[in-house]
């Protein structure tokens, strides 16, 4: 199935590269995948469905990378993820969720803060719509999905740029 989405270069921020002692918070990271869509694309729910159907979405975020035929997405069984599970949220709420995830780490390095600002917070500020993947519940967790203590997923839809961005902030 052709989703009409074309992958572009993304970004990966591994907190381990910013700390002296990885046990502090070196097992956290942010993965950013970007895909381009055509101007005549469908509504936001249609774009979410296309993203869910795209092979770049088939990532368990546990070191295996994208598996084109993989049955998992993050800690969840892929088959249980639908566009209706994504709730629209404000830029402020998305920023608050991410800050609450980062802030318990204490003082983050200037370099990490700059990278988070450039790669994550600037993208949030420049998008038309933000969707947050709700908690799916225990029945949706795959066989080893509890490897993540935290798993935050945002989908940014920027119609003027023709870009959909998947941001996953998690740990392992």
């Amino acid at each position: 199935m052709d989703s009409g989405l074309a992958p572009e270069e993304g970004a990966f921020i591994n907190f381990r590269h910013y700390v002296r002692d990885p046990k502090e918070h070196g097992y956290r990271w942010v993965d950013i995948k970007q895909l381009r869509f055509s101007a005549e694309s469908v509504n936001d729910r249609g774009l979410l469905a296309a993203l869910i159907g795209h092979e770049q979405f088939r990532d368990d975020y546990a070191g295996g990378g994208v598996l084109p035929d993989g049955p998992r997405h993050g800690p969840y069984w892929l088959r249980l993820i639908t566009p209706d599970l994504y709730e629209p949220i404000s830029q402020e709420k998305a920023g608050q969720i991410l800050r609450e995830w980062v802030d318990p780490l204490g003082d983050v390095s200037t370099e990490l803060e700059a990278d988070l600002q450039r790669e994550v917070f600037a993208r949030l500020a420049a998008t038309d719509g933000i969707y947050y993947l709700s908690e799916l519940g225990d029945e949706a967790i795959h066989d080893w999905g509890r490897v993540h203590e935290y798993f935050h997923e945002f989908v940014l839809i920027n119609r003027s740029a023709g870009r959909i961005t998947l941001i996953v902030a998690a740990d392992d």
Side-chain angles (χ1 to χ4, degrees):
M1 175 179 91
D2 180 18
S3 66
L5 300 177
E8 295 186 323
E9 186 173 339
F12 186 78
I13 300 172
N14 188 337
F15 286 32
R16 185 174 306 177
H17 298 295
Y18 302 91
V19 297
R20 280 182 256 124
D21 180 5
K23 291 180 186 131
E24 289 176 27
H25 51 270
Y27 303 105
R28 288 181 181 230
W29 44 264
V30 178
D31 186 89
I32 302 165
K33 291 179 171 64
Q34 293 191 127
L35 299 105
R36 189 160 285 292
F37 60 86
S38 63
E40 64 273 357
S41 288
V42 294
N43 61 27
D44 286 4
R45 293 288 169 202
L47 285 170
L48 288 167
L51 175 65
I52 293 166
H54 197 278
E55 75 174 23
Q56 288 295 308
F57 196 76
R58 298 172 188 283
D59 192 331
D60 57 31
Y61 296 101
V66 173
L67 300 172
D69 295 321
R72 297 173 183 88
H73 174 75
Y76 306 115
W77 290 112
L78 179 65
R79 71 182 184 278
L80 299 177
I81 300 175
T82 67
D84 292 335
L85 295 173
Y86 288 86
E87 65 178 274
I89 63 171
S90 67
Q91 292 172 355
E92 294 78 16
K93 181 65 176 171
Q96 176 188 355
I97 291 167
L98 286 163
R99 280 291 169 205
E100 287 174 0
W101 176 71
V102 171
D103 285 348
L105 301 177
D107 291 332
V108 297
S109 71
T110 304
E111 296 83 7
L112 175 56
E113 183 59 39
D115 284 351
L116 288 171
Q117 185 59 44
R118 182 184 68 254
E119 298 293 350
V120 179
F121 294 104
R123 292 176 203 264
L124 291 175
T127 196
D128 303 323
I130 302 171
Y131 291 86
Y132 184 65
L133 181 63
S134 304
E135 280 282 327
L136 274 67
D138 288 341
E139 65 280 355
I141 304 289
H142 65 69
D143 47 349
W144 47 267
R146 299 230 183 262
V147 69
H148 301 290
E149 183 177 351
Y150 297 100
F151 187 85
H152 298 289
E153 179 173 318
F154 304 86
V155 176
L156 286 52
I157 297 176
N158 188 330
R159 289 199 173 273
S160 59
R163 183 174 295 125
I164 188 166
T165 304
L166 174 64
I167 297 176
V168 171
D171 60 22
D172 51 39

